[in-house]
Amino acid sequence: MNPLLAISDLSVTFATDRGHVQALDGVSLSLNAGETLAVVGESGSGKSVTALSILGLLGDSGRVSDGSIEFGGEDLTKVSDQRLREIRGNQIAFIFQEPMSSLNPVLTIGTQVAEPIWLHHKKPWSEAFEQAGELLQRVAIPDAVKRLEDYPHQFSGGMRQRAMIAMALACQPKLIIADEPTTALDVTVQAQILSLLKNLTKEANSSLILITHDLGVVARYADNVAVMYGGRVVETASARELYKNPQHPYTEGLMASIPKLDGDPGSRLYTIEGQPPDLSNLPSGCSFHPRCPYAQDKCTMTKPTLSEVAPNHLRACFGYER
Ligand code: SF4
């Protein structure tokens, strides 16, 4: 079976005041229909740039310098802007971190949910609006039909994110990309939104890319995981395998940073020492070496590439003894 999405050797650069910055360096990922892939890493690891590249939303300063993004048989790095616009919202939908900045404050929620149905599916406005009411019901907005007339500021943070999910589902996309969709919400609402997103994408047989810095989220909601660092994928495996058997020191560090219910009361939380790398001045060799407790001389000189450590489990590391 061909994957729905296959990113191969993708490199992306941005023109900045400080010269060209390589935000992605040879990223390869794939995703089958109906699967959830979590892309995990700290800020600046390249996870959001990967997502924006899929949609061709790199802005004027960003460009794909190498590689391909195959989606449903088309290379999205080569299609026209017009074709990308047809795909965006229709076949691939995006849910942003902060819904208030993606919802239009002067349009009602109903208008914003109905618009993609009217635009992409060419349905009469009254039918699209009725469907918007059904979608708000599906995302569990109380009094959904009445709330179609509300403006975004009349919704709570959790309700706005539910409305964004309704908008994403409106055209029954094959792929939904959610970029830190619950970061701005409190913990209880986070769990509700993520469960809703997972259940609705499963019902619709859509695939989901969940971008997050939180490995706790990954355990519950993802089938597969790609861990990113310094613009590269450093480990990829099924979520179950990654938790049981992390094979990269960075993944180990992220795991150790998750607070544990049975941890010693009063003990300090583990943190990975140092800072994420500056993409305009990446360390030589393995870019994790300044923070890696297992770094050897070789790590400072040569870049490790992804290789298989177990079936369907890859890591970019020369190996180490714990
Ligand atoms: Fe650490 Fe070396 Fe592995 Fe990089 S290659 S993660 S520095 S042991």
Side-chain angles (χ1 to χ4, degrees), residues 121-270:
H121 287 192
K122 313 276 180 253
K123 294 218 172 153
W125 182 254
S126 56
E127 214 178 296
F129 206 73
E130 198 181 317
Q131 213 172 314
E134 288 163 13
L135 280 162
L136 286 196
Q137 261 162 7
R138 279 180 70 198
V139 297
I141 302 262
D143 277 334
V145 176
K146 268 198 213 153
R147 304 301 298 258
L148 286 170
E149 301 297 342
D150 283 2
Y151 288 87
H153 74 270
Q154 293 170 286
F155 272 34
S156 66
M159 280 165 68
R160 283 197 286 267
Q161 203 51 297
R162 285 171 195 267
M164 287 296 298
I165 295 173
M167 278 169 74
L169 291 169
C171 291
Q172 298 157 329
K174 292 180 185 156
L175 171 62
I176 295 177
I177 303 172
D179 188 359
E180 305 266 12
T182 57
T183 302
L185 304 172
D186 68 54
V187 182
T188 322
V189 182
Q190 271 185 19
Q192 291 166 358
I193 297 285
L194 286 168
S195 297
L196 184 74
L197 190 56
K198 175 78 185 169
N199 293 340
L200 291 179
T201 45
K202 203 169 178 185
E203 263 173 52
N205 198 30
S206 299
S207 304
L208 176 64
I209 296 182
L210 197 53
I211 294 172
T212 179
H213 60 274
D214 183 351
L215 267 179
V217 162
V218 172
R220 266 188 89 177
Y221 302 102
D223 301 307
N224 296 307
V225 190
V227 181
M228 292 192 72
Y229 189 83
R232 310 184 83 209
V233 174
V234 295
E235 184 161 12
T236 173
S238 69
R240 186 180 287 259
E241 162 74 8
L242 194 91
Y243 270 82
K244 232 175 33 188
N245 187 23
Q247 288 287 327
H248 193 282
Y250 178 57
T251 316
E252 266 191 16
L254 289 177
M255 298 265 191
S257 318
I258 302 173
K260 292 176 186 60
L261 278 175
D262 58 356
D264 280 344
S267 64
R268 292 177 70 123
L269 282 176
Y270 178 83

Side-chain angles (χ1 to χ4, degrees), residues 22 25 232 282 284-287 298-299 301-305 318:
Q22 182 147 21
D25 177 11
R232 310 184 83 209
L282 277 175
S284 60
C286 171
S287 56
K298 184 180 183 185
C299 308
M301 292 178 282
T302 314
K303 243 186 229 182
T305 52
F318 295 121

Side-chain angles (χ1 to χ4, degrees), residues 248-250 286-290 292-296 299 304 316-320:
H248 193 282
Y250 178 57
C286 171
S287 56
F288 187 58
H289 85 253
C292 181
Y294 312 109
Q296 318 140 44
C299 308
C317 175
F318 295 121
Y320 57 100

Side-chain angles (χ1 to χ4, degrees), residues 234 236 247 304-310 313-318:
V234 295
T236 173
Q247 288 287 327
T305 52
L306 281 173
S307 60
E308 199 165 71
V309 279
H313 186 166
L314 308 177
R315 74 160 176 198
C317 175
F318 295 121

Side-chain angles (χ1 to χ4, degrees), residues 3-12 27 29 50 53-56 58 63-85 87 91-92:
L4 174 70
L5 176 78
I7 301 179
S8 306
D9 270 329
L10 186 71
S11 295
V12 168
V27 167
L29 294 171
T50 305
S53 310
I54 298 170
L55 291 169
L58 294 172
R63 77 176 184 93
V64 171
S65 51
D66 208 356
S68 61
I69 304 172
E70 294 279 340
F71 175 75
E74 286 178 279
D75 183 351
L76 300 184
T77 63
K78 297 210 163 64
V79 300
S80 65
D81 289 350
Q82 163 70 22
R83 179 71 189 128
L84 263 183
R85 275 195 294 276
I87 291 172
Q91 294 189 40
I92 305 178

